[in-house]
């Protein structure tokens, strides 16, 4: 293959080429993006400035909110640009950056959710040891370990993907760069890449899933032994938001990765990716603000304080 045919940039794909639909898609993406930023930023501010929420559980919720703001910022702004403008190009470096960051943030989010399951397990099943087991130093160490693991995992797969030659086509059938879409564009054998991706998914995602399931089996068996309905309700109320977030993230991720790779990508594949890359960060602040009593009370206090200041 001559060097002149080597791909140096890629073309991302829109949901539609009709201008009216492109504008509608851009508006929907932008509204979800702004709502995600505002919702997660509100949670970060409320937890940071309310000393009553300076506990391990809310420390990890705040970390998750910061992560979600970064996660959605990798794909949506560029998607809005390609929806509205005629230029669909993304450089090789820009594509590599998108893949690296999406993989890193997705991996770290899964690890954060797993750590949060452990936090709930210790709080409910071993309450007397909770301050010792989940002390601030341990919380910071688990956060740093999650971030480092996500970066290493992402760096490995990004490097493994971009060592392949791309000279067959430069059209990425996705609104952002992801590994499965790029593997289809390579003119060389990609079986080893696919095997490594499958193994890492089984080890990381499968391991986290099993750990979360085992944690909640112990949690529910303990909660059901509580003597009063009020205690059971309070314990369940702290677990429900986390269960919802885990369910949305893992189910959408599984829909993307478990589905057999198709040689003829469809719009349905792109829509599935929306539920993996955009919907979880968008729903997380809604779930935590609506299902978490302490966050709702903190938001209400802030709103009342602003109203009182406004009347003055």
């Amino acid at each position: 293959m001559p060097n002149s045919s080597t791909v140096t940039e890629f073309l991302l794909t829109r949901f539609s080429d009709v201008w009216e639909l492109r504008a509608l898609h851009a508006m929907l993406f932008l509204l979800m993006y702004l709502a995600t930023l505002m919702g997660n930023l509100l949670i970060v501010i409320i937890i940071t400035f309310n000393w009553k929420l300076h506990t391990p559980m809310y420390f990890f919720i705040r970390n998750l909110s910061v992560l979600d703001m970064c996660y959605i910022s990798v794909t949506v702004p560029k998607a809005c640009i390609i929806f509205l403008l005629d230029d669909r190009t993304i450089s090789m470096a820009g594509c590599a950056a998108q893949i690296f960051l999406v993989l890193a943030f997705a991996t770290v989010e899964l690890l954060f959710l797993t750590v949060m399951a452990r936090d709930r397990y210790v709080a409910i099943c071993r309450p007397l040891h909770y301050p010792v087991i989940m002390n601030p130093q341990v919380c910071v160490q688990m956060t740093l370990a999650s971030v480092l693991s996500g970066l290493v995992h992402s760096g490995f797969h990004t490097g493994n993907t971009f060592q392949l030659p791309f000279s067959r086509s430069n059209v990425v059938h996705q609104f952002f760069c992801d590994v499965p879409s790029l593997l289809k564009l390579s003119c060389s054998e990609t079986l080893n890449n696919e095997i490594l991706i499958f193994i890492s998914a089984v080890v990381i995602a499968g391991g986290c899933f099993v750990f979360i399931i085992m944690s909640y089996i112990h949690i529910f068996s303990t909660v059901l032994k509580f003597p009063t309905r009020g205690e059971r309700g309070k314990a369940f109320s702290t677990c429900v938001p986390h269960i919802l977030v885990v369910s949305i993230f893992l189910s959408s991720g599984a829909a993307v990765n478990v589905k057999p790779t198709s040689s003829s990508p469809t719009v349905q594949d792109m829509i599935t990716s929306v539920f993996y890359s955009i919907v979880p960060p968008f729903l997380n602040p809604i779930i935590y603000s609506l299902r978490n009593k302490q966050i709702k009370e903190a938001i209400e206090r802030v709103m009342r304080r602003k109203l009182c200041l406004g009347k003055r």
Side-chain angles (χ1 to χ4, degrees), residues 11 26 61 64 89 116 149 157 159 184 193 211 215-216 223 246 252 263 303 306:
L11 293 177
I61 290 177
L64 187 65
T89 62
M116 292 167 73
S149 299
H157 285 295
K184 297 172 188 175
N193 296 69
F211 185 90
S215 297
Y216 274 101
V223 169
V246 169
S252 57
S263 58
M303 297 302 295
K306 286 187 175 181

Side-chain angles (χ1 to χ4, degrees), residues 40-41 43-44 60-70:
N40 282 292
L41 184 60
I43 288 180
V44 171
F60 292 118
I61 290 177
R62 181 174 59 183
N63 289 345
L64 187 65
S65 293
V66 172
L67 180 72
D68 283 336
M69 287 189 287
C70 299

